[in-house]
């Protein structure tokens, strides 16, 4: 047995039997440019196929399910507008994950940071400005507040990681749970509207403008729900791209992500970068929360996120940590969210995401290694 | 006094689910494989155990099916990280997503299932009469709780006092050395990840069939899988400390419920009794405490230089330049 890795060492081999094939992984010196995208596409197709099989197993019709999702999400310009609305928080939280992952910081807490951002935006209405302030005061202030509270929620795991070496995966996950109860405390308690688990509707000036608000000027905009948050998301993409590729700060993030030892010897302050990147990441997710309460829900309520912060992890991964790719990927996932509301079983979208992520990391091996299957000579 | 007996007694029950999940993860990590998919494996174990028990009418067959389901998922992780050498963090997270999704799809409509059999309970005749300790540990407990009592010394003995346990530690600390002694690193890593999956499946089944019977979609496990991972770090990979942490967190779960029912604590008016809204802060408590436990765990680890198994998270490639 040379350097070969046996494909299935799960069961102890009975004596005298050799698995007739052996699999070899040889490191690639160079990965062709097209290969990562090809494996990504392959993963998507594979995930759809596996999902279809599972759907068949539970007695559903996969073709009809997928078709229903497609029509509900991309069927005409109105549903596509709804898809863009869903894509908005996904782009922002996806960027949040992307930024942290690029430094190999596992921020699984975009969900919690999203909630804190939503809470921060609501705080401005409930406690700071009141009902009568004009929109040009409201919106920037809510944006800043959403960013700040998201960043605070990112600061906690950041400093714990930098100062004590605490595993950030678990802290961010625990903070997700805590943020849910934190929001629940306010919307069930002092911010509750007549005992319902939500705050009163925000005043009109505090809503992010939507395309439909301009339908008097441009007729086709009528019924279009896309709001200003989508623009924030696009700007954030440009910002993150610029930061990562055109600044010294971004260079240091990539350096730490690729080779932490080299970064340390080059004199990069890893602890400070950890805290800072975590705060920036949390802030981006916070803006997603702000944009959701001010652009879509127009009030804070219990469980406003259908798991944006978790889907964001997959989006960042599917986009190969490329900020521009986050946009189309988030739109597809936004469509999946819109579409899967229409169909049963309800866990379908989550399952598809899980299978997809697995397919992605399994095919990742093709990018790094040349896989060779050889017949073992008996 | 009664209050604390109730809390600790329920804690031993809750803690049993945590105990199995934590021990399984501990063994996998001792072998050098981090598996963050515990929550997903537990949920799939929970839904499989519950639905199988519903279909067959036998809780033990259900529990067995739950264990197998957890094991099946863990094999996926093992293949991806051991054979394909993918990142263990990402693979573990994917496993969680996959597990939650599968559990939701297969658990659709299961919440309304009625008449699902549960695991029987048992009192130990003489021990149950011991004041204070008797009702906490030995009175009217699920049979699985006693399995837990047996598991703790068994794992301790296995890890520290047997040849196989020595090999296990070697594989996690210095796989190249273990390999040169003829220990099959790949095979044993597969084995321990599989054991982790079996135990996580067991923990899930224990929840739906015994501790809090029923299927409550993804809230069935309510983050127990993640707490188990944190407990392994807190316990510094030691089975006895892990057991202690499991029962502690199990008790905390019940404490947050029970404390809302008493008017005064130590003679002071209990705020949680009078302001129902403060319950949300109680509900945060297990998660906040997990973070605190992690901080304490990592500080102690720094102090005592007693950290994770050295090869934790690093794929082993025979003959390639040694990473250790």
């Amino acid at each position: 047995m040379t350097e070969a890795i046996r494909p299935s060492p799960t069961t102890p081999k009975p004596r005298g039997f050799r698995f007739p094939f052996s699999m070899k992984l040889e490191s690639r010196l160079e990965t062709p440019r097209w290969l990562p995208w090809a494996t990504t596409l392959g993963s998507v197709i594979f995930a759809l196929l596996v999902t279809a099989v599972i759907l068949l197993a539970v007695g559903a019709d996969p073709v009809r399910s997928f078709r229903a999702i497609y029509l509900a999400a991309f069927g005409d310009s109105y549903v596509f507008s709804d898809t863009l609305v869903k894509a908005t928080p996904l782009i922002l939280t996806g960027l949040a994950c992307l930024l942290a992952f690029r430094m190999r910081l596992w921020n699984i807490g975009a969900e919690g940071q999203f909630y804190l951002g939503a809470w921060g935006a609501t705080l401005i209405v409930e406690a700071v400005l009141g009902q009568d302030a004009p929109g040009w005061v409201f919106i920037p202030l809510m944006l800043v507040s959403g960013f700040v509270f998201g960043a605070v929620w990112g600061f906690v795991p950041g400093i714990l990681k930098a100062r004590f070496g605490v595993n950030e995966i678990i802290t961010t996950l625990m903070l997700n749970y805590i943020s849910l109860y934190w929001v629940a405390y306010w919307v069930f308690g002092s911010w509750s509207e007549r005992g319902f688990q939500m705050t009163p509707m925000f005043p009109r000036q505090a809503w992010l403008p939507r395309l439909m608000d301009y339908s008097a000027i441009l007729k086709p905009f009528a019924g279009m729900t896309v709001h200003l948050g989508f623009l924030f998301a696009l700007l954030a993409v440009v910002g993150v791209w610029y930061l990562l590729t055109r600044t010294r700060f971004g260079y240091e993030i990539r350096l730490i992500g690729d080779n932490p030892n080299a970064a340390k010897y080059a004199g990069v302050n890893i602890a400070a970068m950890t805290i800072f990147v975590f705060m920036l990441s949390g802030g981006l997710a916070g803006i997603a929360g702000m944009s959701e309460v001010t652009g879509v829900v127009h009030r804070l309520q219990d469980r406003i996120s259908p798991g944006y912060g978790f889907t964001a992890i997959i989006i960042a991964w599917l986009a190969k940590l490329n900020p521009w790719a986050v946009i189309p990927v988030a739109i597809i996932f936004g469509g999946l969210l819109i579409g899967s509301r229409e169909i049963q079983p309800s866990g379908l979208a989550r399952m598809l995401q899980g299978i997809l992520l697995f397919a992605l990391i399994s095919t990742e091996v093709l990018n790094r290694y040349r896989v060779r299957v050889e017949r073992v000579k008996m | 006094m009664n209050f604390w007996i109730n809390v600790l007694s329920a804690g031993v029950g809750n803690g049993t689910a945590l105990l199995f999940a934590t021990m399984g993860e501990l063994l996998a990590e001792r072998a050098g494989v981090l598996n963050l998919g515990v929550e997903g494996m537990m949920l799939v174990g929970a839904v499989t155990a519950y639905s199988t028990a519903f279909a067959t009418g036998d809780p033990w067959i259900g529990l067995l099916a739950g264990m197998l389901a957890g094991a099946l998922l863990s094999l996926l992780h093992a293949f991806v990280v051991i054979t394909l050498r993918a990142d263990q963090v990402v693979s573990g997270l994917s496993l969680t997503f996959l597990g939650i999704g599968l559990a939701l799809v297969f658990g659709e409509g299961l919440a309304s299932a009625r008449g699902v059999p549960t695991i029987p309970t048992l009192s130990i005749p003489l021990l149950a009469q011991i004041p204070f300790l008797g009702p906490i540990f030995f009175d009217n407990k699920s049979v699985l709780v006693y399995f837990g009592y047996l598991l703790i010394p068994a794992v301790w003995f296995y890890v520290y006092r047997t040849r196989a346990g020595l090999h296990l530690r070697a594989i996690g600390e210095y796989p190249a050395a273990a390999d040169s002694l003829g220990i099959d690193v790949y095979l044993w890593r597969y084995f321990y990840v599989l054991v982790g999956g079996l135990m996580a499946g067991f923990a899930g089944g224990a929840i739906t069939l015994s501790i809090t019977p029923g299927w409550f979609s993804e809230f069935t496990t309510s983050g127990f899988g993640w707490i188990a991972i944190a407990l392994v770090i807190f316990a510094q990979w030691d089975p006895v400390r892990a057991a202690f942490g499991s029962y502690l967190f199990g008790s905390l779960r019940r404490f947050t419920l029970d404390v809302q029912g008493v008017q005064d604590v130590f003679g002071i008016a209990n705020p949680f009794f009078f302001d129902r809204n403060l319950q949300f802060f109680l509900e945060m408590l297990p998660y906040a405490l997990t973070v605190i436990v992690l901080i304490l765990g990592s500080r102690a680890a720094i102090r005592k230089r007693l950290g994770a198994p050295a090869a934790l998270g690093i794929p082993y490639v025979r003959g390639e330049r040694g990473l250790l």
Side-chain angles (χ1 to χ4, degrees):
Chain A
M1 194 91 199
T2 52
E3 292 161 271
I5 292 177
R6 268 149 294 163
S8 59
T10 45
T11 45
K13 295 185 304 296
R15 260 170 234 285
F17 172 79
R18 284 280 296 274
F19 195 74
F21 295 96
S22 84
M23 195 173 86
K24 257 184 173 174
L25 300 180
E26 294 171 351
S27 288
R28 281 179 192 276
L29 295 176
E30 228 173 304
T31 307
R33 277 184 75 91
W34 54 268
L35 190 60
W37 299 105
T39 53
T40 303
L41 190 69
S43 306
V44 173
I45 294 169
F46 175 79
L48 286 173
L49 282 177
V50 173
T51 308
V53 170
I54 294 177
L55 279 179
L56 279 175
V58 296
D61 180 350
V63 177
R64 272 183 58 189
S65 295
F66 290 149
R67 199 180 143 76
I69 292 180
Y70 175 78
L71 286 179
F74 304 105
D76 61 55
S77 61
Y78 296 101
V79 293
F80 185 63
S81 156
D82 288 344
T83 295
L84 290 186
V85 170
K86 283 284 173 201
T88 302
L90 289 176
I91 295 174
L92 286 162
T93 49
L95 286 173
C97 290
L98 181 148
L99 196 63
F101 292 176
R102 195 65 193 83
M103 204 176 124
R104 292 186 75 76
L105 286 177
W106 302 111
N107 180 11
I108 315 302
E111 183 81 356
Q113 292 142 11
F114 174 96
Y115 273 100
L116 259 284
W119 182 85
T122 311
L123 182 73
I124 299 292
V125 180
E126 289 290 331
V128 181
L129 286 183
Q131 301 290 310
D132 304 318
W136 59 268
V137 180
F138 253 125
I139 288 166
L141 218 56
M142 291 172 108
L143 188 66
V144 169
S145 177
F147 182 87
V148 166
F149 280 96
V152 166
W153 222 230
F155 173 78
V156 178
I159 190 146
L160 289 179
K161 164 113 179 153
R163 182 77 183 75
F164 304 114
V166 176
N167 184 322
E168 73 275 24
I169 299 172
I170 303 182
T171 45
T172 47
L173 259 157
M174 294 297 119
L175 286 174
N176 287 343
Y177 287 103
I178 294 175
S179 67
L180 270 178
Y181 293 118
W182 174 250
V183 167
Y185 171 71
W186 290 92
V187 298
F188 280 90
S190 47
W191 290 356
S192 167
E193 183 182 42
R194 288 176 283 119
F196 291 106
Q197 54 216 53
M198 49 171 129
T199 65
M201 197 71 102
F202 291 172
R204 269 316 277 258
Q205 323 85 277
W207 296 15
L208 291 181
R210 292 170 295 189
L211 280 186
M212 58 195 269
D213 298 340
Y214 300 98
S215 56
I217 311 165
L218 219 61
K219 251 293 174 294
F221 281 175
M224 295 274 194
T225 46
V226 180
H227 55 86
L228 190 63
F230 190 65
L231 193 66
F232 293 165
L234 295 182
L235 288 176
V237 169
V238 179
V240 169
W241 167 79
Y242 185 83
L243 185 79
L244 277 176
T245 58
R246 296 287 183 273
T247 66
R248 183 203 160 101
F249 181 72
Y251 173 73
E252 291 186 349
I253 291 177
R254 289 182 292 136
L255 184 61
I256 298 171
D258 292 338
N259 192 340
N261 279 329
K264 200 162 71 193
Y265 297 134
V268 178
N269 185 343
I270 295 182
M273 290 289 289
T274 300
I275 297 173
F276 204 71
V277 167
F278 243 120
M279 289 177 72
L280 209 56
S281 173
L284 281 169
I287 292 179
M290 174 270 176
S291 127
E292 193 72 0
V293 283
T294 54
V296 183
V297 195
H298 301 136
R299 57 163 36 125
L300 185 62
Q301 53 190 12
D302 201 24
R303 304 193 185 251
I304 45 170
S305 162
Y308 292 129
F310 296 115
T311 306
I313 298 166
I314 300 162
I315 291 176
W317 215 254
L318 255 178
K320 304 267 169 215
L321 303 189
N322 174 343
W324 296 108
V326 165
I327 302 175
V329 176
I331 290 174
I332 291 169
F333 273 81
L336 191 61
L337 273 179
I338 290 275
S340 59
R341 286 191 310 201
E342 315 282 327
I343 55 159
Q344 298 294 327
S346 56
L348 180 69
R350 303 276 282 277
M351 190 180 71
L352 179 61
Q353 290 175 9
I355 296 170
L356 182 56
L357 199 48
F358 246 111
L360 271 176
I361 55 168
S362 307
T363 53
E364 186 97 309
V365 76
L366 298 174
N367 300 340
R368 286 184 297 138
Y369 300 99
R370 205 185 292 277
V371 179
R372 209 173 262 176
V373 178
E374 290 172 344
R375 242 195 122 78
V376 175
K377 291 189 190 78
M378 297 285 176
Chain B
M1 201 52 155
N2 249 337
F3 174 79
W4 292 108
I5 289 178
N6 280 340
V7 166
L8 293 175
S9 169
V12 169
N14 285 337
T16 300
L18 265 178
L19 179 72
F20 276 88
T22 309
M23 288 293 193
E25 178 68 12
L26 187 144
L27 289 172
E29 289 194 21
R30 278 279 189 173
V33 182
L34 176 69
N35 187 350
L36 294 179
V38 183
E39 179 86 359
M41 296 188 296
M42 276 178 80
L43 264 174
V44 168
V47 77
T48 312
Y50 195 64
S51 52
T52 310
F54 179 59
T56 61
D58 187 335
W60 295 103
I61 295 178
L63 190 64
L64 199 67
M67 291 173 74
L68 289 179
L72 216 61
L73 268 190
S74 73
L75 276 185
L76 192 60
H77 179 70
F79 175 72
V80 168
V81 303
I82 300 171
T83 302
L84 297 183
R85 304 174 207 165
D87 191 297
Q88 300 186 359
V89 171
V90 187
S91 172
L93 285 174
S94 321
L95 196 63
T96 302
F97 281 115
L98 182 62
I100 295 174
L102 282 172
L104 289 183
V105 169
F106 287 103
E108 182 96 352
L110 202 56
S112 54
R114 290 288 168 271
V116 181
T118 55
I119 306 271
T121 58
L122 183 70
S123 298
I124 307 281
L126 278 172
L127 295 174
Q129 259 78 64
I130 305 172
F132 196 65
L133 294 182
I136 294 175
F137 289 106
F138 302 110
D139 186 33
N140 200 23
K141 287 277 174 292
S142 162
V143 176
L144 304 182
V145 169
Y146 300 106
F147 283 8
Y149 298 158
L150 299 177
L151 181 76
I152 305 163
V155 172
W156 179 86
F157 187 81
Y158 182 83
V159 171
Y160 293 115
R161 290 290 182 273
T162 65
R163 175 172 289 268
L166 184 67
H167 289 173
L168 162 65
R169 286 180 285 152
I171 291 163
E173 293 292 343
Y174 200 163
D179 196 12
S180 70
L181 289 173
I183 304 167
D184 192 331
V185 175
Y186 301 112
L187 179 71
W188 285 108
R189 284 196 168 172
Y190 262 93
F191 174 75
Y192 287 112
V193 172
L194 188 73
V195 169
L198 281 171
M199 286 187 159
F202 182 98
I207 291 177
T208 45
L209 294 177
S210 174
I211 295 162
T212 47
W215 174 248
F216 312 99
S217 70
E218 73 251 57
F219 305 106
T220 310
T221 51
S222 58
F224 265 27
W226 295 107
I227 294 177
I229 294 167
L231 279 176
V232 174
I233 301 172
F234 165 70
Q236 294 175 358
W237 294 269
D238 177 72
V240 177
R241 290 184 61 163
F244 172 72
S246 303
Y247 292 132
L248 181 76
F249 267 82
S251 307
L252 187 70
R253 188 86 188 284
R254 179 57 179 262
F255 173 79
T256 59
L257 287 174
D258 281 6
V259 80
Q260 295 174 50
V262 281
Q263 285 217 16
D264 54 330
V265 187
F266 307 122
I268 306 161
N270 176 10
F272 298 112
F273 182 79
F274 293 103
D275 186 351
R276 287 284 144 193
N277 246 329
L278 289 177
Q279 63 157 312
F280 295 115
F281 287 97
L282 281 175
E283 306 220 31
M284 287 178 196
L285 216 56
Y287 309 108
L289 203 70
T290 303
V291 174
I292 293 167
V293 150
L294 268 184
I295 299 170
L296 294 177
S298 16
R299 296 206 74 179
I302 292 166
R303 244 197 339 263
K304 287 161 69 184
R305 293 263 157 212
L306 217 181
L312 183 60
I314 304 166
Y316 176 63
V317 186
R318 179 185 283 174
E320 219 164 69
R321 75 201 140 84
L323 287 161
L324 293 160

